[in-house]
Amino acid sequence: MPAWAYVNGKFVPFEEASLPVEDRATQFGDGVYEVARIYEGVPFAFSDHVQRMQKGASIIGIPWPWEEAELQTMVDELIARNNQQDGIVYWQVSRGTAPRSHVFPPQADPNLTAYTRDYPDHAAAWEQGVKVTIERDVRWLLCHVKSVNLLGNVLAKEAAASKGGAEALLEREGYGIVEGGSSNVFIVKDGVLATPPLSELILPGITRSYVLEIAAEQGMSAAERYISREELLQADEVFFTSTGVEVMPVAAADGHTIGSGVPGPVTKQLLAAYKERVAAACSTAPR
Ligand code: PDD
């Protein structure tokens, strides 16, 4: 357990950190959150995370009183207090605390909470690839907002886990496989990458955008388009991306072996390049 958490301007012992019962994230899922990976004590792509959060808050009308530098200072202090060299930092902004009513409260200050946590090692999974399942996407229509309404994701990931899957790939009627329960999805066919386009149906993943950038730098071609279940099952390689798992190879989906059932060359190349990018960013970050 980490030593410290942050609640509305104060660092408090982790076990004492809490939100009021009428916090709107608790009652309505009325809030946004971010998860950044900490490498060598540095939160990677912090600015990208803050920008996405601010945009999400604006889409759902949550006021935004913070400068990015204030959030950076808060997260840096939290990391230092917890001596969190490696792990994740989670932070959340809810619309605030107010007597329960669905309509926005006339007066409420957003609640900002944050903490760090250790993060498990994925070396074996990167080496061997993981199994995933395909689940129906029952989520709402503003999936581009990283809101704390995660019930659709939770149910899909639980369904996958109950069948031994490390991730649930979400299939939305009329669109095919859109993303993972907590990741973005890519396929590789004949050396060409494909990933669903940015829309209200998926989270604009920060890892996704870095992977697309890296692919372009390495001269790979990549299409942003929808992917059907059949295409995914017949792909040469499938992988999913997120802050936590970085670039995760898929060995099998819904019991079908993907490619030769081991991480393919494109996935391995992108994972290695992503790790290089992380190492470069963290070694040059101011401390
Ligand atoms: N999840 N899609 C969904 C639905 C996600 O929840 C996430 C991240 C991603 C990948 O985004 P990024 O590359 O920016 O991490 C895509 C975080 C890690 C989580 O909820 O724990």
Side-chain angles (χ1 to χ4, degrees):
M1 195 188 288
W4 296 96
Y6 172 95
V7 181
N8 290 333
K10 294 196 183 79
F11 292 94
V12 290
F14 184 81
E15 319 86 88
E16 288 168 28
S18 63
L19 281 167
V21 286
E22 284 192 314
D23 170 72
R24 290 183 60 97
T26 309
Q27 292 194 319
F28 298 110
D30 191 359
V32 287
Y33 76 103
E34 281 295 332
V35 181
R37 191 77 166 73
I38 302 165
Y39 301 95
E40 295 173 38
V42 179
F44 177 65
F46 187 71
S47 188
D48 297 309
H49 285 278
V50 172
Q51 281 169 33
R52 179 171 67 187
M53 189 183 214
Q54 190 169 358
K55 198 165 169 198
S58 142
I59 292 168
I60 61 171
I62 291 182
W64 191 265
W66 304 280
E67 294 294 331
E68 184 183 320
E70 285 173 70
L71 295 176
Q72 178 84 59
T73 304
M74 178 275 283
V75 163
D76 286 347
E77 180 166 349
L78 195 55
I79 290 172
R81 281 175 179 251
N82 288 338
N83 191 22
Q84 195 77 54
Q85 285 308 301
D86 198 71
I88 56 113
V89 54
Y90 175 97
W91 70 106
Q92 175 181 310
V93 169
S94 82
R95 193 179 304 279
T97 311
R100 185 177 182 278
S101 165
H102 290 65
V103 174
F104 293 178
Q107 189 60 52
D109 295 323
N111 287 322
L112 170 62
T113 48
Y115 62 91
T116 64
R117 274 280 185 191
D118 294 343
Y119 193 71
D121 180 49
H122 288 295
W126 284 320
E127 191 79 19
Q128 292 153 25
V130 295
K131 293 180 186 160
V132 301
T133 65
I134 300 174
E135 307 294 336
R136 188 158 74 101
D137 191 355
V138 299
R139 300 173 305 160
W140 68 334
L141 295 173
L142 297 180
C143 296
H144 61 321
V145 175
K146 198 164 171 63
S147 92
V148 294
N149 280 282
L150 289 175
L151 193 53
N153 310 60
V154 165
L155 295 177
K157 288 187 70 102
E158 178 57 27
S162 72
K163 294 175 256 181
E167 176 59 300
L169 299 184
L170 304 176
E171 184 175 32
R172 180 156 323 235
E173 228 175 287
Y175 296 91
I177 311 292
V178 289
E179 64 176 336
S182 58
S183 60
N184 293 107
V185 65
F186 287 73
I187 64 166
V188 184
K189 186 72 182 176
D190 301 326
V192 179
L193 286 156
T195 191
L198 295 185
S199 75
E200 295 187 350
L201 299 182
I202 70 164
L203 189 79
I206 290 163
T207 323
R208 172 191 181 280
S209 69
Y210 279 111
V211 165
L212 284 173
E213 218 175 275
I214 292 167
E217 281 164 15
Q218 308 226 344
M220 298 176 185
S221 42
E224 293 183 64
R225 61 167 179 82
Y226 288 107
I227 299 164
S228 70
R229 168 192 286 256
E230 293 67 36
E231 258 188 300
L232 183 123
L233 296 178
Q234 282 154 27
D236 300 328
E237 300 178 37
V238 174
F239 61 88
F240 55 93
T241 62
S242 79
T243 291
V245 302
E246 303 177 349
V247 175
M248 182 57 76
V250 172
D254 262 0
H256 298 258
T257 301
I258 302 293
S260 47
V262 293
V266 175
T267 309
K268 287 206 278 200
Q269 190 179 336
L270 289 170
L271 174 61
Y274 182 80
K275 285 187 176 297
E276 273 169 32
R277 169 151 315 201
V278 164
C282 294
S283 69
T284 55
R287 283 167 202 256

